[in-house]
Amino acid sequence: MPDLLVELKDRVLYLTLNRPDKLNAMSAEMMGGLLDNLNRAATNPEVGAVVVTGAGRGFCAGGDIGAMRERNESGRDGAAQTIEERVASLRRGEEASLLLHEMPKVTIAAVNGPAAGAGLSVAMACDLRIASDTARFGTAFAKVGFSGDYGGTWSLTRLVGSAKARELYFLGDMISAEEALKLGLANRVYPAASFRDEVHALASRIANGPTIAYSYMKANLNAAITHEFKELLDREAWGQTMTARTEDHREAVKAFLEKRNPMFKGQ
């Protein structure tokens, strides 16, 4: 079986991390496939939203600890690559987080179970995090003597604030879905029994919504993290003017006045 499963359903692209026997710990095949599919989805008009989730009982445990031990005990750690080459290799993989954050499609992490280390970082790079009530979240890096990657320090600081992010990184404790919801780390929590159906209902609602407007919204919301208010006003004025020219806007206005649901086409 491949380490990444790909399915397009109702304009929702599902990217399922597929190493359930290892709680979907990352592999080169998995992360290469994730990056390739995100790149294609970014410009595919048939994709209205992207969901990243995990097979089995976990979302993603982060790095493969067993592979790390084999590498360390074999004495091959770093022998075949310079430090610069290893940094460049990791940085290429981290582009998956950047794409999830910046691509002009709404991205959703469907956290069905434990999300730890770089797995949590990938989830936090998404626009929304929908959690099963059996999900757990943890940075985990301190427990294996790592400092963190895949953008987690940036994302967590912005999601929960600097003080709480430091606590979660330094201690590495796992927290429940309900605590993640209270902190703002998770957007919604659903019962495990109905989780897949709830995720699909939400994702398909977004995927079949005004996707052009969503792309401008996402860009503005990302810019709001670091840009000044005046710059956001300029961006919003531009986006509002451009979306006013779309067929989706005209259809939505007509549907509102006719008291019916709009039929968006992404045009």
Side-chain angles (χ1 to χ4, degrees):
M1 287 288 287
D3 286 1
L4 183 75
L5 304 178
V6 181
E7 179 187 12
L8 183 61
K9 180 181 178 183
D10 299 331
R11 291 179 47 80
V12 180
L13 180 67
Y14 285 92
L15 301 175
T16 302
L17 311 178
N18 189 41
R19 300 180 76 200
D21 56 321
K22 295 182 177 291
L23 286 179
N24 304 315
M26 293 175 170
S27 69
E29 178 190 334
M30 176 190 291
M31 301 315 293
L34 183 63
L35 188 56
D36 289 345
N37 279 280
L38 289 173
N39 269 311
R40 286 194 290 269
T43 56
N44 185 350
E46 299 302 313
V47 175
V50 176
V51 171
V52 180
T53 192
R57 63 185 183 87
F59 176 77
C60 179
D64 188 334
I65 305 299
M68 292 178 196
R69 182 176 66 180
E70 290 179 13
R71 181 192 67 205
N72 293 342
E73 292 180 352
S74 70
R76 291 183 287 105
D77 184 25
Q81 288 183 309
T82 65
I83 290 176
E84 291 78 8
E85 287 170 338
R86 293 194 67 184
V87 168
S89 176
L90 176 56
R91 186 62 188 83
R92 283 192 295 273
E94 290 179 324
E95 286 296 301
S97 288
L98 187 63
L99 267 171
L100 288 165
H101 178 68
E102 292 190 348
M103 67 188 293
K105 306 289 174 76
V106 177
T107 57
I108 301 167
V111 185
N112 54 302
L120 175 61
S121 299
V122 167
M124 292 191 296
C126 294
D127 297 310
L128 301 172
R129 279 151 302 285
I130 311 303
S132 162
D133 58 7
T134 60
R136 292 182 296 138
F137 300 76
T139 60
F141 292 109
K143 294 184 176 181
V144 290
F146 275 155
S147 58
D149 56 6
Y150 278 80
T153 51
W154 188 92
S155 298
L156 190 59
T157 298
R158 283 156 177 78
L159 287 169
V160 305
S162 180
K164 194 65 181 182
R166 289 165 193 262
E167 176 189 332
L168 292 172
Y169 262 88
F170 295 155
L171 299 181
D173 294 335
M174 298 294 286
I175 63 173
S176 68
E178 287 300 330
E179 186 173 352
L181 182 65
K182 291 176 184 176
L183 289 174
L185 178 54
N187 295 93
R188 297 187 181 186
V189 175
Y190 292 121
S194 60
F195 181 67
R196 301 287 181 180
D197 290 339
E198 297 282 8
V199 168
H200 186 68
L202 186 146
S204 60
R205 174 181 169 186
I206 292 172
N208 290 281
T211 51
I212 295 175
Y214 288 155
S215 69
Y216 280 101
M217 285 180 196
K218 179 169 178 171
N220 289 342
L221 290 163
N222 284 346
I225 297 170
T226 55
H227 288 53
E228 296 296 328
F229 185 49
K230 182 181 181 299
E231 294 177 75
L232 261 294
L233 292 175
D234 292 339
R235 293 179 65 99
E236 287 185 345
W238 177 260
Q240 196 79 339
T241 300
M242 296 304 291
T243 51
R245 300 164 63 90
T246 64
E247 183 178 331
D248 281 351
H249 164 69
R250 291 189 289 272
E251 160 64 8
V253 170
K254 185 178 179 182
F256 180 85
L257 295 173
E258 294 174 356
K259 296 181 172 55
R260 61 175 175 82
N261 293 325
M263 297 294 293
F264 293 115
K265 297 180 180 178
Q267 298 175 350

